[in-house]
Amino acid sequence: MNGVANLPLAGTTRVGEIAFIDLKAQQRIIRERIESRLKRVLDHGKYIAGPEVEELEEALAARTGAKGAVACASGTAALIIPMLAQGVDVGDAVFAPSFTYNATVNAILLTGATPVFVDVDPDTFNMDPADLERRIEVVRREGRLRPRAAIPVDLFGAPADYPAISKIAEREGLFLLADGAQSFGARLHGRWVGDLATATATSFFPGKALGAYGDAGAVFTQDESALEAWRSIRWHGTDASRKISVCVGFNGRMDSFQAAVLLEKLAIFDEEQDARARIAAAYDARLSGAARLQALVPGAQSGRSYYSLCAPGRDAIVAMLKEMGVPTAIYYETPLHMMPAFEAFAPAGGLPVTEGLAREIFSLPMHPYLTPAQVDYICEATLYCIDRTR
Ligand SMILES: *Cc1c(COP(=O)(O)O)cnc(C)c1O
């Protein structure tokens, strides 16, 4: 390939270094507030279960409209806790997409249940409700597993088709657990992620839209009565005395430092969401004619944690973009049912939509601190690379 100097865009625009996700820019804005929050934790010394944790749980519930939120150690813990509370166990089928991060399916397997992969919709990239129905039907016919729960994933921040999936879950008696690890701050028909399913797990991994400075997560409920069991499981399965084990649990807690960081990040989160929405709208407007973009279900507003698009010749496009100074990422290059850890659960005939997406998808830089000039440059470069690979 020609060097960068031969590409028409190089040198014509001064955009500075483009970051895929820019946590440093964000830190510059809130550094002092975070330092004083962390200092308060050092002063009170309650590193576990400090007042920050409860304050955060209240803020998260208020922010989402959920009946309650339980802060926990990670997004993975947030997926496992409600499944354990629900009694998901060996012999249960839990339906989940293969086009997601491995944690969704690890969580299922760690409960002892069996993952049943569901294909995604080619437009929304999220769980296809029609395929969910087909897979439930197959499991019932085979009679080996009990259909027990479904875990739609809100990929890249876009809410899954909860109206359709909730209806199926209700009819089939499935526990509906949303994997909202990428979609905190998104909404559907005026309701926030956290209040779209019986239970919703989210992750505050540093690179997520709302990220801690370490590992953290939360689980939200539409039913207050779930909270006690979740808090117990998070604390080794103990009762309120924290001495007597009443169920199987594990160390699923969030520490006070992470809660302190998240409280300050939550304070600027709405502004950041607005910036993400503006940037995504600019990408949409410029790129919609040249690539396949992620469609939203009606009434949905994506949290835009990642901006992903599909184009044939993806590998060449991302290689060219790299040369032009545009960092990209590929979520996900290998569907879970094709990975060694999970291939035993691959459905006969594979998952055609998932496998097609995995070949064409890539993500452009997405964070609230991209400048208009950078967004412009990224669009021009992407259009140029797509055009060159046609
Ligand atoms: C990040 C992520 C998780 C796991 O979150 P951790 O905090 O890393 O445990 C689960 N599901 C999805 C879809 C994710 O993107």
Side-chain angles (χ1 to χ4, degrees), residues 140-151:
R140 291 213 190 278
R141 208 168 46 229
E142 288 177 352
R144 198 172 48 87
L145 299 168
R146 225 171 13 249
R148 192 64 203 276
I151 312 186

Side-chain angles (χ1 to χ4, degrees), residues 74-76 79 100-101 103-104 153 179 181-182 203 205 208 215-216 332:
S74 65
T76 308
L79 286 165
T100 175
Y101 186 56
T104 313
V153 177
D179 183 342
Q182 300 180 8
S203 166
F205 178 81
K208 311 279 180 178
D215 281 309
Y332 295 93

Side-chain angles (χ1 to χ4, degrees), residues 75-77 79-80 83 102-113 151 177:
T76 308
L79 286 165
I80 293 172
M83 280 196 279
N102 56 25
T104 313
V105 168
N106 277 330
I108 297 168
L109 285 162
L110 285 167
T111 68
I151 312 186
L177 168 60

Side-chain angles (χ1 to χ4, degrees), residues 174-185:
L174 301 181
F175 174 54
L176 185 59
L177 168 60
D179 183 342
Q182 300 180 8
S183 62
F184 183 78

Side-chain angles (χ1 to χ4, degrees), residues 43-94:
D43 289 341
H44 67 58
K46 289 192 73 179
Y47 307 121
I48 300 294
E52 291 78 10
V53 176
E54 214 167 298
E55 186 183 344
L56 178 68
E57 289 178 335
E58 275 162 26
L60 290 172
R63 176 68 177 71
T64 57
K67 285 285 183 342
V70 171
C72 49
S74 65
T76 308
L79 286 165
I80 293 172
I81 289 168
M83 280 196 279
L84 289 182
Q86 201 65 25
V88 172
D89 207 339
V90 176
D92 289 341
V94 179

Side-chain angles (χ1 to χ4, degrees), residues 157-197:
D161 190 351
Y162 290 101
I165 294 170
S166 303
K167 228 181 270 168
I168 298 167
E170 216 166 289
R171 191 185 68 217
E172 302 285 342
L174 301 181
F175 174 54
L176 185 59
L177 168 60
D179 183 342
Q182 300 180 8
S183 62
F184 183 78
R187 49 180 172 174
L188 182 59
H189 293 305
R191 276 162 64 190
W192 300 98
V193 164
D195 189 28
L196 297 176

